[in-house]
Amino acid sequence: MPVTAPNAEGARTVALLQQLIRFDTSNPTGDTAALAAFLRTQFEPLGVQTDVIVAPNGKAVHFIARLKGDGSKKPVLLAAHADVVPVERDKWSVEPFAGIEKDGFVYGRGAMDFKGGMAVFARAVMRLAEQKVPLARDVIFLAEADEEEGQYNTSWLAKDHWDKMDAEFALNEGGYILQGADGAVRQVNVTTVEKTSVVLRLRTNGPVGHASRPLPSNETANGKLIAALEKLSVHEPGIRLIPQTRGYLEALARQNPGPTANAVRKIFAVADGRTQALGERELMAAQPANAPLLRALMHNTMAITMIKSGQAANVIPGQAEAIINARLLPGATTDQLIDEVRRVVGDDAVNVDFATPVSQEATRKYYQAKSNIPESSTDTELYRALRTQAAAVWPQAQVVPVLFEAGTDAVAWRERGVPVYGIYPYPLDADILKGMHGHDERIAVRSLYEGTDWVYRVLLDVAKK
């Protein structure tokens, strides 16, 4: 049964998370040096081998702890990113880097994404060391840098330090453990494949002029860009169901007979586009709290994230630019994406290309390589342990291999053929999900207790002699 009552192991995870939150690792600038040094003080007294790898910028610092086994099996690795996104302090009800516990939650930037996961992963490995569990394989814990933003991420780390992070299989962030209004967990989602994150740039040019003499909007850089963004903002890419999304929807329908199940059946009517679109609208109405996630699982998506134009309030600018963050389903290509954006915009005066510091062709090849990375097999010892031990902790839950709608640093392993399974290792609901990258980010203390129990059980399952 779930370990939800106060207990020493869960309390240690909560305390560790509070300490981790207190290191401001906002990216930019992504300075994780102090956090890495702190982790070393936690692992080394337990006899765990540690490494600290500093990137050329002196700020992106990766921490690696290796708990040794007898080597009869290849290692299992647990990776969690140490950097977090910035905060708007005035929008928070608490200090975002204080690690405050109140009303059954730990608040702070990274509490859910992903220092909470780091605390759960780290404590599971520490517990193996503390209890001197005999191991058949090394257990590696990695606190990675530059996952949210920057060039010194796990792909950089793997180029020169692959021997320190090679494993038979790995855990990373990803799938959500969803709980209902009653607090019961009924679905444990384990990521086996991810969307590809693509950053596009839209640029327009026009005459420069004095703001007191406005020009026709269809001639100005700003006017052209605004018209293009208006079209993109209402554009709805079509539904495409990959096997993982189909499995997710099937599980959702089993748990929710009635309107949700009826909507899913219509979405599966792939030969009838109108019925499929109607099913999606009905599903959004039946599952309003989960609508953004469900939409992301079924579509390629585009979000306007940055707009840049002008240098003075009284000058009509000659150039305007917007950044679009697209997330592509497996099988979709960047050529298709750019063609779609150009078709929707319908204006040759709007230049569409990759936002990249390198060449357009090099970036295209990079995205093409990422899109060809195979999904992680569910026929491994680690995936079976995740499923078995989830049933022990959450008996009512079904485990489902799913698509992750965002992106992670798992690509460094996947492109080398190492299966990676993505989890947010604690139950959460739609309200907690909204806090990811938002204000008052938090995670429930009870969820940390249950996640700690689950991951420790999984490590015993796959690593114990």
Side-chain angles (χ1 to χ4, degrees):
M1 294 297 291
V3 182
T4 56
N7 64 85
E9 287 303 327
R12 290 189 183 103
T13 301
V14 171
L16 178 59
L17 172 56
Q18 291 177 290
Q19 290 173 300
L20 295 173
I21 289 172
R22 289 166 190 154
F23 294 95
D24 184 351
T25 55
S26 300
N27 200 354
T29 57
D31 190 338
T32 58
L35 185 146
F38 166 74
L39 286 172
R40 176 169 262 178
T41 69
Q42 303 302 296
F43 278 94
E44 284 193 341
L46 301 175
V48 181
Q49 173 187 319
T50 65
D51 285 290
V52 171
I53 299 171
V54 183
N57 67 359
K59 296 178 180 180
V61 180
H62 299 267
F63 171 82
I64 303 173
R66 182 182 291 261
L67 181 59
K68 298 292 290 184
D70 67 10
S72 58
K73 295 182 178 181
K74 283 193 69 174
V76 57
L77 179 140
L78 301 87
H81 64 86
D83 60 325
V84 298
V85 297
V87 301
E88 296 175 295
R89 287 178 182 266
D90 61 320
K91 304 290 177 59
W92 284 62
S93 67
V94 298
E95 164 55 42
F97 296 105
I100 293 170
E101 180 184 345
K102 71 169 187 173
D103 302 326
F105 294 88
V106 177
Y107 285 75
R109 175 58 84 221
M112 185 256 171
D113 178 29
F114 188 65
K115 288 182 177 178
M118 178 182 290
V120 169
F121 287 173
R123 275 305 311 162
V125 179
M126 289 177 189
R127 188 176 175 188
L128 291 175
E130 291 163 352
Q131 298 186 352
K132 301 188 183 333
V133 176
L135 303 173
R137 64 173 92 236
D138 292 1
V139 179
I140 305 169
F141 168 78
L142 167 62
E144 60 194 61
D146 265 7
E147 192 272 348
E148 295 289 3
E149 179 178 320
Q151 60 182 312
Y152 300 114
N153 51 29
T154 56
S155 293
W156 172 85
L157 183 67
K159 289 178 183 177
D160 295 319
H161 302 284
W162 178 245
D163 61 311
K164 297 182 183 298
M165 52 195 288
D166 189 12
E168 182 176 345
F169 30 55
L171 292 179
N172 205 307
E173 69 175 318
Y176 307 121
I177 302 171
L178 299 176
Q179 62 185 16
D182 59 357
V185 172
R186 293 187 174 85
Q187 189 165 325
V188 176
N189 298 309
V190 179
T191 299
T192 57
V193 66
E194 299 179 3
K195 279 186 163 181
T196 300
S197 177
V198 180
V199 183
L200 297 182
R201 175 178 53 202
L202 275 61
R203 286 182 295 179
T204 56
N205 295 288
V208 178
H210 197 289
S212 65
R213 298 185 295 276
L215 300 168
S217 63
N218 63 347
E219 296 179 8
T220 67
N222 280 353
K224 295 171 190 176
L225 184 64
I226 290 168
L229 295 180
E230 184 177 20
K231 293 175 183 177
L232 283 174
S233 69
V234 296
H235 174 60
E236 288 283 353
I239 292 175
R240 191 162 70 84
L241 301 177
I242 66 170
Q244 288 84 353
T245 300
R246 184 175 288 271
Y248 179 97
L249 294 175
E250 288 171 346
L252 187 68
R254 285 194 296 271
Q255 296 167 31
N256 299 275
T260 294
N262 291 336
V264 169
R265 280 193 288 272
K266 291 177 181 176
I267 291 171
F268 286 171
V270 293
D272 185 342
R274 288 186 178 181
T275 300
Q276 198 173 40
L278 175 62
E280 181 180 14
R281 291 195 295 272
E282 291 180 356
L283 182 61
M284 299 304 118
Q287 296 280 330
N290 294 320
L293 170 62
L294 293 167
R295 191 173 288 111
L297 294 177
M298 293 188 289
H299 298 269
N300 294 325
T301 61
M302 288 181 276
I304 303 162
T305 56
M306 300 174 69
I307 300 174
K308 179 182 178 182
S309 176
Q311 298 183 13
N314 61 349
V315 177
I316 297 171
Q319 188 174 77
E321 178 180 301
I323 298 298
I324 307 294
N325 184 227
R327 304 295 172 119
L328 300 184
L329 292 162
T333 70
T334 53
D335 288 346
Q336 293 168 338
L337 170 67
I338 290 175
D339 286 346
E340 182 175 6
V341 171
R342 288 172 175 163
R343 177 179 56 79
V344 172
V345 169
D347 184 351
D348 292 339
V350 179
N351 182 70
V352 182
D353 62 7
F354 297 114
T356 176
V358 298
S359 73
Q360 292 292 308
E361 184 58 25
T363 304
R364 180 178 176 275
K365 289 179 178 178
Y366 166 77
Y367 285 130
Q368 184 177 31
K370 283 190 72 173
S371 68
N372 290 330
I373 296 172
E375 64 190 64
S376 297
S377 169
T378 56
D379 186 21
T380 67
E381 190 177 350
L382 181 53
Y383 184 84
R384 287 189 290 271
L386 289 166
R387 185 177 56 206
T388 299
Q389 300 308 326
V393 179
W394 302 290
Q396 301 177 62
Q398 53 188 327
V399 178
V400 183
V402 299
L403 164 76
F404 191 45
E405 81 281 5
T408 73
D409 265 357
V411 64
W413 292 274
R414 283 205 176 106
E415 67 183 2
R416 290 168 173 80
V418 176
V420 182
Y421 304 103
I423 56 172
Y424 278 86
Y426 21 65
L428 43 82
D429 56 24
D431 191 49
I432 297 299
L433 265 175
K434 284 193 298 185
M436 188 196 307
H437 290 196
H439 311 312
D440 280 358
E441 182 180 351
R442 62 196 183 280
I443 192 70
V445 169
R446 166 182 167 173
S447 294
L448 291 167
Y449 281 23
E450 294 179 11
T452 298
D453 186 38
W454 181 42
V455 174
Y456 179 69
R457 287 170 181 261
V458 167
L459 290 184
L460 283 180
D461 201 333
V462 301
K464 185 179 179 181
K465 281 187 184 180

